[in-house]
Amino acid sequence: MEMIVCSQVHFSYFTGAGEVEVLRGVDMVVEQGEHVAIVGPSGAGKSSLLRLVAALDWPDRGDVRVGKSISTKELRGAALARFRREQVGLVFQQFSLLPTLNALENVMLPLLPYSPRQVLRKRAALLLTEVGLGARIGHYPDQLSGGEQQRVAIARALIASPPLLLADEPTGSLDTVTGMQVITLLDNLCREHGSTLVVVTHDADIAALANRRIRMVASWVNTVNRRSQPRPRFQREY
């Protein structure tokens, strides 16, 4: 089953110097259950493509479809909010944790208005245990290391059990050893939860963990590389 389908996607933004064309006719397909790394030089449009898939931006031309043929450009209002909340989990280079909330509260935050607090608290605690922070759920961000903060961010991204997880340079603020630990954890969690994982990275070692690599060059998808053993597929339970 196809999780992401990008068809002839064009995207531009404007600066004081004029229009900057970031994506030019990009085609991309990601299957359900894959771990895909998007690599390429700075300015190639990797992060812009991820934002389009997450419906944080919309293409100027072309189409981006996620999951059960959901076209992101058709999403507005409550449907858009529901898509972002339930269909996509996001992990960024900056951890974006609220400093006034502890680890447990940060993980609970995305679903606080939508789920019973006790149910949410139990799930958040379970996820923090899965990422190795079961003993630190009451700690605040300034009491956690960078790697631990990113683990909290990963747990937060998984709180709604999204079928798709998007990670934009998730190890960019971490040292090499911690970064590898975090991306390995992210890959294992997505396997266990049956989520599709797409990672934007400049790090060749991080990209090597994916079962497929998509290289973007000058706003185009240039090459696709596959590992010999595909990542196992999972059926999600509802």
Side-chain angles (χ1 to χ4, degrees):
M1 176 181 172
E2 296 168 338
M3 177 57 67
I4 303 170
V5 179
C6 297
S7 304
Q8 284 297 295
V9 171
H10 293 252
F11 178 70
S12 302
Y13 63 85
F14 290 86
T15 68
E19 183 179 8
V20 178
E21 189 176 31
V22 184
L23 300 173
R24 298 195 296 267
V26 168
D27 294 306
M28 182 182 73
V29 175
V30 175
E31 300 288 340
Q32 180 180 349
E34 279 195 293
H35 172 181
V36 173
I38 301 178
V39 300
S42 296
K46 304 182 300 298
S47 294
S48 294
L49 183 59
L50 218 62
R51 288 182 61 85
L52 294 177
V53 173
L56 298 177
D57 282 313
W58 289 269
D60 301 324
R61 284 183 288 151
D63 194 32
V64 177
R65 292 186 172 271
V66 178
K68 297 178 181 179
S69 297
I70 301 172
S71 178
T72 58
K73 63 185 178 183
E74 297 172 0
L75 296 171
R76 293 294 186 274
L80 176 59
R82 190 179 306 110
F83 171 83
R84 290 172 176 168
R85 183 173 68 246
E86 298 177 358
Q87 298 299 314
V88 181
L90 298 172
V91 180
F92 299 103
Q93 179 175 342
Q94 303 301 324
F95 318 126
S96 301
L97 303 179
L98 293 186
T100 57
L101 300 182
N102 61 32
L104 185 71
E105 293 164 339
N106 266 288
V107 174
M108 293 170 61
L109 187 61
L111 293 185
L112 270 177
Y114 309 101
S115 298
R117 185 176 290 267
Q118 286 304 113
V119 174
L120 196 53
R121 178 181 293 273
K122 187 174 182 179
R123 173 156 176 76
L126 177 61
L127 284 168
L128 284 168
T129 299
E130 287 187 28
V131 300
L133 295 178
R136 300 177 72 81
I137 62 175
H139 287 65
Y140 290 84
D142 63 359
Q143 298 173 314
L144 301 172
S145 69
E148 288 172 334
Q149 290 186 59
Q150 191 62 297
R151 287 168 183 255
V152 175
I154 291 170
R156 180 184 58 194
L158 291 169
I159 189 66
S161 300
L164 175 61
L165 200 68
L166 305 175
D168 191 358
E169 296 286 358
T171 63
S173 297
L174 306 174
D175 63 79
T176 302
V177 174
T178 304
M180 187 58 67
Q181 291 172 346
V182 165
I183 199 67
T184 301
L185 171 68
L186 188 57
D187 179 68
N188 289 338
L189 284 171
C190 284
R191 289 173 184 264
E192 293 168 8
H193 289 263
S195 298
T196 303
L197 175 61
V198 180
V199 178
V200 164
T201 184
H202 285 93
D203 190 317
D205 292 332
I206 299 298
L209 290 176
N211 69 283
R212 187 158 63 100
R213 298 187 297 281
I214 296 175
R215 179 170 298 278
M216 294 189 68
V217 180
S219 308
W220 295 84
V221 170
N222 183 261
T223 59
V224 177
N225 300 309
R226 292 183 180 272
R227 281 168 54 182
S228 57
Q229 295 297 323
R231 188 167 180 263
R233 303 285 176 81
F234 291 82
Q235 293 293 325
R236 293 184 55 76
E237 296 182 358
Y238 295 91

